[in-house]
Amino acid sequence: MVYSIDAVLQPYVTKFLEEAMIRNVNVPAMNLDMRFDNLSFEECGHFVQKKNGQRVVVINPGCWQNVPAQNREALVFHELGHCFLTRAHRDDVLPNGAPASIMNSVGNGAYQPCIYPIDGDTTCNKTARRSYYVDELFNHKTPVPAWGK
């Protein structure tokens, strides 16, 4: 089995593991090969569980370069959610129309600051939403936050 993480991706993997530990979720950080490759040209990221238990996460370098830092974290967390938490895509929305999960297949940067107001949010800074999305990643029964109602 291989444990190999691209140096650029390692801080995000480390943060994912820290967030898991905070929430008392055991994540066996082994058998992971995470790298940049154009194999994932249709998506920003892709996870494959091989027959021998090896986990492979491939991140599209072009996509990575063109998104804000919050989207990068969300992308890595999303793929590791598939990889270690066996989370499937979840495309439902909260009552206010925001994605219910970081595991959504749209990959719209649910907690990034945006350039122009959307969803009636005049401040357009959604970084405070991160805690909900990370909580929900590790526990899909996390209640709807006040901002999502």
Side-chain angles (χ1 to χ4, degrees), residues 27-143:
V27 175
M30 55 188 200
N31 305 337
L32 177 62
D33 176 11
M34 190 168 200
R35 63 187 186 286
F36 291 101
D37 198 317
N38 287 322
L39 292 174
S40 184
F41 66 91
E42 291 180 9
E43 303 165 329
C44 284
H46 184 74
F47 163 67
V48 176
Q49 174 85 40
K50 296 197 174 182
K51 291 178 186 174
N52 65 359
Q54 180 68 52
R55 300 170 181 99
V56 178
V57 175
V58 178
I59 304 292
N60 180 307
C63 183
W64 183 266
Q65 292 301 321
N66 292 317
V67 298
Q70 291 88 351
N71 278 35
R72 292 175 181 174
E73 179 187 85
L75 171 60
V76 171
F77 281 25
H78 174 103
E79 295 306 329
L80 293 177
H82 288 309
C83 186
F84 290 114
L85 306 174
T86 63
R87 292 289 308 266
H89 285 141
R90 179 178 174 191
D91 289 335
D92 56 321
V93 295
L94 299 174
N96 72 348
S101 177
I102 200 172
M103 294 306 297
N104 72 79
S105 63
V106 178
N108 60 1
Y111 55 84
Q112 74 175 19
C114 53
I115 298 168
Y116 53 89
I118 56 174
D119 301 334
D121 182 353
T122 56
T123 65
C124 210
N125 185 345
K126 296 175 174 49
T127 53
R129 296 180 178 189
R130 179 187 181 276
S131 62
Y132 161 75
Y133 284 110
V134 176
D135 285 345
E136 192 283 332
L137 175 65
F138 290 99
N139 176 5
H140 69 279
K141 294 181 181 178
T142 298

